[in-house]
Amino acid sequence: TYEVTDSQTARRSLIAYALRCLGLIGYGGDEAAELAAAAKGASNMTETVAALGALSRHPTAASARSEAFDSFLQKWKDDNNVICTYLSLVAGMVHCADPLENVKTAMASEVFSMKVPNKFYALVGGFARANTPGFHASDGGGYKFLTDCLLEMDKMNAIAASRVAKPFTEWRLYDPARQEMMKGELKRILDSNPSPNLYEICTKSLA
């Protein structure tokens, strides 16, 4: 029985932490049977998302992950609030053939719309914040992708675009090659005559 009590909340938090750890270490191998069962048998959204989160970070459970995520999507595709959670989980998937292509596929699906800021934050912002291998890929594809998305969103919602641009402002934290690529994208944004919001963020970052 789902109850909002200190003990029940603590129990759910502990379960979520344990599942996350199991996912990170690749528990269960390719099948990840226990994690898949946790996702399928969860009795509330907290436990479901915890199990999906574990699968999203599992290094080898591609089939189990795909099945669990497809099932979750079909069940909740008409609920925009839950879909934002789904998109956030997709954004953070690092152990897939191509993290960036995975995000682009989600963008092209019926559940995503650039006109809904929260979906933009969840998928595009989530990718830039939480998917280090994908966003910081050595070919700079993640940086170009974010810039393209920011320029599109800037025409519709400048505040949303400026909020998601933050990862570019941290370019000094990375190696010289990535620094140059990130600065190049900041300059590309400035060359596009962006909104005052986005212009301010980019110019301050490059100062």
Side-chain angles (χ1 to χ4, degrees), residues 52-185:
L52 290 175
L55 285 169
S56 75
R57 294 285 176 168
H58 196 289
T60 62
S63 179
R65 176 168 55 241
S66 178
E67 182 178 344
F69 271 75
D70 287 348
S71 177
F72 185 79
L73 176 60
Q74 289 306 310
K75 183 176 182 179
W76 297 102
K77 63 182 179 180
D78 295 323
D79 187 316
N80 282 329
N81 288 329
V82 177
I83 285 302
C84 284
T85 299
Y86 166 82
L87 292 172
S88 180
L89 289 168
V90 170
M93 287 185 190
V94 297
H95 296 295
C96 54
D98 189 326
L100 177 55
E101 285 304 316
N102 197 46
V103 169
K104 289 181 177 180
T105 297
M107 285 189 74
S109 72
E110 63 180 352
V111 300
F112 180 81
S113 173
M114 289 286 282
K115 296 179 180 179
V116 182
N118 284 344
K119 292 184 176 182
F120 178 72
Y121 297 144
L123 186 60
V124 179
F127 174 72
R129 290 191 312 272
N131 199 317
T132 301
F135 181 58
H136 294 288
S138 60
D139 65 357
Y143 303 151
K144 182 179 184 301
F145 166 75
L146 179 58
T147 297
D148 291 342
C149 292
L150 291 176
L151 294 178
E152 181 179 351
M153 178 56 80
D154 197 39
K155 295 180 175 63
M156 296 184 286
N157 188 325
I159 294 176
S162 62
R163 284 182 60 183
V164 176
K166 185 179 178 181
F168 276 151
T169 68
E170 299 169 347
W171 59 267
R172 292 177 179 83
L173 300 176
Y174 300 94
D175 60 89
R178 288 179 171 81
Q179 286 186 12
E180 290 304 313
M181 287 190 288
M182 295 173 84
K183 286 192 293 182
E185 295 302 327

